[in-house]
Amino acid sequence: MQTRRFLIGVLLLAVFLTLGSGFYATARLASVVAAALGLAFLWAHANVRWLDIRVTRLQREVQVGDEWEESACITNGSKLPVPWVLVEDMGNLPGHRLGRALGLGAQTHQSWQSVTPCRQRGLFSLGPLQVSSSDPLGIFTARRVLVNAERVLVYPATLPLPDFVLSATAQVGESLEFRPTVGTTPNVASIRRYETGDSLSRVHWKSSARN
């Protein structure tokens, strides 16, 4: 930023002196500075124009204590190398570190993985991913968003309850265990003998009469 301001100041001064005095040297200086600024601008934007990022996320929902795993691959489709590029993750998941700084050769790619421990529950944003690069002198910096934001839901941590048993009226699925019931169950598939404690409203009287 300071280099760009300095060069712009030199350019304006050279243009002012050229218009005021007509000196050939100041005119040449203005031309050189203007060309350098234009080349730096094009260089910075060309660095990010041919970049592409692919992010692979296997999970969509996790809970506190789990690890969020993902992988990223950045590709340079240009025939020119990119000396340096900064990948920034603009999301708000605590501890998420998918971004990094790297350099890319012509028509090459780099891959990396990120593992983030989930320590806080809530709905968070992953991304967007932004890439930025500049010319060799750092006069101009170009930025580009390559991956849109996605949401991830982190649930509270769950604990095993080995001694917790559902009541018979709340059981689901098939069970070979017969228990007295005091209400209607949704799992009736056959009849059995009456047991003490069974509700009389659940007795199949036609079958009882036949027996």
Side-chain angles (χ1 to χ4, degrees):
M1 180 64 71
Q2 293 181 350
T3 304
R4 182 172 61 187
R5 291 178 178 176
F6 173 76
L7 291 178
I8 292 176
V10 171
L11 175 61
L12 294 177
L13 179 61
V15 170
F16 176 77
L17 293 176
T18 301
L19 295 177
S21 61
F23 288 158
Y24 176 76
T26 55
R28 288 292 301 273
L29 177 61
S31 300
V32 171
V33 174
L37 290 173
L39 181 61
F41 179 84
L42 294 176
W43 189 310
H45 284 78
N47 281 346
V48 300
R49 176 179 176 82
W50 304 103
L51 295 179
D52 183 62
I53 295 181
R54 292 288 182 269
V55 178
T56 302
R57 298 172 175 133
L58 301 180
Q59 305 133 295
R60 285 295 178 267
E61 297 175 352
V62 290
Q63 66 180 19
V64 174
D66 291 343
E67 291 184 338
W68 179 264
E69 299 180 6
E70 56 191 335
S71 60
C73 178
I74 183 171
T75 303
N76 177 24
S78 173
K79 295 182 179 180
L80 297 176
V82 179
W84 74 269
V85 59
L86 177 64
V87 181
E88 296 178 275
D89 186 351
M90 314 301 288
N92 60 359
L93 178 64
H96 192 232
R97 296 291 184 270
L98 186 61
R100 63 173 45 195
L102 45 85
L104 292 168
Q107 297 182 331
T108 59
H109 67 274
Q110 285 194 32
S111 302
W112 68 95
Q113 293 183 339
S114 172
V115 178
T116 303
C118 299
R119 298 188 176 95
Q120 180 179 342
R121 68 179 184 177
L123 184 62
F124 301 99
S125 172
L126 296 174
L129 285 184
Q130 176 182 269
V131 295
S132 59
S133 185
S134 72
D135 60 277
L137 297 179
I139 302 175
F140 290 97
T141 300
R143 296 177 175 85
R144 185 182 172 199
V145 175
L146 295 181
V147 179
N148 295 327
E150 292 186 18
R151 293 185 179 274
V152 56
L153 182 60
V154 181
Y155 288 97
T158 58
L159 299 175
L161 301 174
D163 298 328
F164 180 76
V165 179
L166 292 174
S167 65
T169 58
Q171 288 183 356
V172 295
E174 299 181 356
S175 175
L176 298 177
E177 182 179 0
F178 297 108
R179 295 185 181 183
T181 63
V182 295
T184 303
T185 66
N187 304 316
V188 178
S190 63
I191 60 175
R192 59 171 174 80
R193 292 183 179 277
Y194 173 81
E195 295 183 5
T196 304
D198 286 341
S199 173
L200 294 179
S201 63
R202 306 310 304 162
V203 175
H204 195 267
W205 294 109
K206 291 183 180 181
S207 298
S208 300
R210 287 196 298 268
N211 295 327

